[in-house]
């Protein structure tokens, strides 16, 4: 498939790590850390762009109110504002666009390669990363879930909700309903979709969410310090007064 090269690359990285630390779960965690470090510049740029957009929210709302009866003029004014401020609406989507191919490749990794069948992480909880984790088996099926009680999908859901809460920023074209659906609705939908997926996939996704949140906290601190420094420099500027010439 189109992502076979990515599967091979991720498989090779995991195998190199496994030679040093013979635990496939640990190999996934370390590989996830390496991938997050690689795409950190894009994550930082996306976060800076989102924070920059928040500064211009009053101006955006002013344009929306002023031209609400003229969508074409509104779009023209919004494009003009983006050009003046250097904001790119698509920049916030880049980390997400990169994340999905990685998730798909990780899903295929545990389904296409026989050597990962029975790959262990934690005995008694996740003895096989190619199938879902299980702590108990019910005598009946739960709707949409089956008869297995799994912990990793719940941990993933919690991490995804926190991740969405921390990184979400409303855009000019998003309503509150759309933003809430993206923040809460999508993680719940993915919870049911991936409940019975390979635990290796959920382990990767959960660790990736946690690392992204840590990166976001660090980026927020950098941006806050940078903003404080700019405000301090602006306050320390000495105004230059040009004396008026006396009239003769």
């Amino acid at each position: 498939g189109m992502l076979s090269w990515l599967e091979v690359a991720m498989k090779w990285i995991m195998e190199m790590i496994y030679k040093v630390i013979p635990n496939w779960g640990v190999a996934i965690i370390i590989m996830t850390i390496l991938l997050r470090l690689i795409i950190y510049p894009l994550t930082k740029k996306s976060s800076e762009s989102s924070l920059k957009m928040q500064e211009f929210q009053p101006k955006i709302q002013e344009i929306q109110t002023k031209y609400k009866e003229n969508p074409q003029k509104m779009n023209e004014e919004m494009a003009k504002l983006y050009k003046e401020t250097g904001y790119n609406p698509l920049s916030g989507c880049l980390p997400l666009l990169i994340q999905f191919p990685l998730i798909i490749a990780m899903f295929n990794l545990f389904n296409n390669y026989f050597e990962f069948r029975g790959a262990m992480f934690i005995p008694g909880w996740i003895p096989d990363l190619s199938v879902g984790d299980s702590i108990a088996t019910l005598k009946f099926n739960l709707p949409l879930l089956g008869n297995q009680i799994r912990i990793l999908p719940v941990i993933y859901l919690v991490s995804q909700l926190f991740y969405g809460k921390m990184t979400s920023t409303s855009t000019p074209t998003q309503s509150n309903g759309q933003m809430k659906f993206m923040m809460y609705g999508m993680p719940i939908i993915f919870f049911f979709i991936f409940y019975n997926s390979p635990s290796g996939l959920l382990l990767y996704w959960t660790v990736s969410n946690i690392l992204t949140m840590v990166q976001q906290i660090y980026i927020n601190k950098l941006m806050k310090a940078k903003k404080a420094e700019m405000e301090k420099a602006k306050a320390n500027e000495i105004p230059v007064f040009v004396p008026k010439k006396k009239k003769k």
Side-chain angles (χ1 to χ4, degrees):
M2 292 178 61
L3 297 177
S4 60
W5 64 272
L6 188 55
E7 295 173 32
V8 173
M10 295 175 77
K11 177 176 179 287
W12 181 82
I13 293 172
M14 288 176 59
E15 288 175 338
M16 292 300 102
I17 297 171
Y18 186 81
K19 289 181 180 180
V20 181
I21 305 175
N23 184 297
W24 289 113
V26 174
I28 291 175
I29 293 173
I30 295 176
M31 181 187 67
T32 307
I33 294 172
L34 293 175
L35 292 175
R36 293 308 312 180
L37 290 174
I38 291 172
I39 65 176
Y40 171 75
L42 288 177
T43 304
K44 185 173 182 290
K45 186 176 181 181
S46 173
S47 299
E48 290 175 346
S49 181
S50 299
L51 292 172
K52 188 176 182 180
M53 188 200 71
Q54 290 178 358
E55 296 177 5
F56 298 101
Q57 277 293 337
K59 182 65 176 176
I60 291 172
Q61 292 174 358
E62 180 184 336
I63 293 174
Q64 290 175 329
T65 303
K66 186 176 180 179
Y67 300 105
K68 63 180 179 180
E69 303 297 334
N70 190 345
Q72 183 177 352
K73 182 64 176 177
M74 182 194 296
N75 292 334
E76 290 176 0
E77 291 297 320
M78 293 293 288
K80 184 178 178 181
L81 177 64
Y82 291 157
K83 186 176 180 179
E84 291 175 354
T85 59
Y87 171 71
N88 184 358
L90 297 178
S91 60
C93 302
L94 287 176
L96 186 62
L97 292 175
I98 293 175
Q99 178 79 323
F100 273 111
L102 293 172
I103 291 171
I104 295 171
M106 181 63 73
F107 180 83
N108 292 335
L109 199 63
F110 286 97
N111 284 283
N112 296 341
Y113 294 94
F114 181 78
E115 53 264 49
F116 287 120
R117 307 287 172 85
M120 182 177 289
F121 178 33
I122 300 176
W125 177 32
I126 308 178
D128 187 350
L129 287 164
S130 66
V131 298
D133 69 304
S134 178
I135 59 170
T137 302
L138 302 176
K139 294 181 179 180
F140 56 91
N141 288 332
L142 296 173
L144 302 177
L145 301 179
N147 66 341
Q148 298 294 323
I149 301 298
R150 310 188 192 280
I151 296 297
L152 197 54
V154 177
I155 298 174
Y156 150 75
L157 176 61
V158 173
S159 72
Q160 189 69 34
L161 290 173
F162 274 107
Y163 167 75
K165 182 72 174 177
M166 179 176 291
T167 59
S168 66
T169 53
S170 60
T171 64
T173 57
Q174 271 186 328
S175 64
N176 288 333
Q178 288 175 323
M179 189 175 66
K180 287 181 179 179
F181 176 75
M182 293 297 294
M183 190 184 303
Y184 302 112
M186 289 302 294
I188 294 173
I189 292 173
F190 280 128
F191 168 79
F192 287 101
I193 292 175
F194 291 105
Y195 186 80
N196 294 308
S197 294
S199 52
L201 169 66
L202 290 174
L203 178 63
Y204 163 78
W205 206 343
T206 303
V207 174
S208 181
N209 286 343
I210 294 171
L211 291 174
T212 304
M213 285 189 283
V214 172
Q215 288 180 341
Q216 189 66 45
I217 293 171
Y218 176 70
I219 292 170
N220 289 346
K221 287 184 177 180
L222 287 180
M223 295 296 292
K224 187 177 180 180
K226 185 178 180 180
K227 186 176 180 181
E229 186 178 343
M230 291 176 64
E231 290 177 352
K232 184 178 179 180
K234 188 176 180 180
N236 290 335
E237 288 181 356
I238 302 175
V240 178
F241 296 98
V242 180
K244 295 181 179 180
K245 293 182 178 180
K246 294 182 179 181
K247 294 183 180 180
K248 294 182 179 179

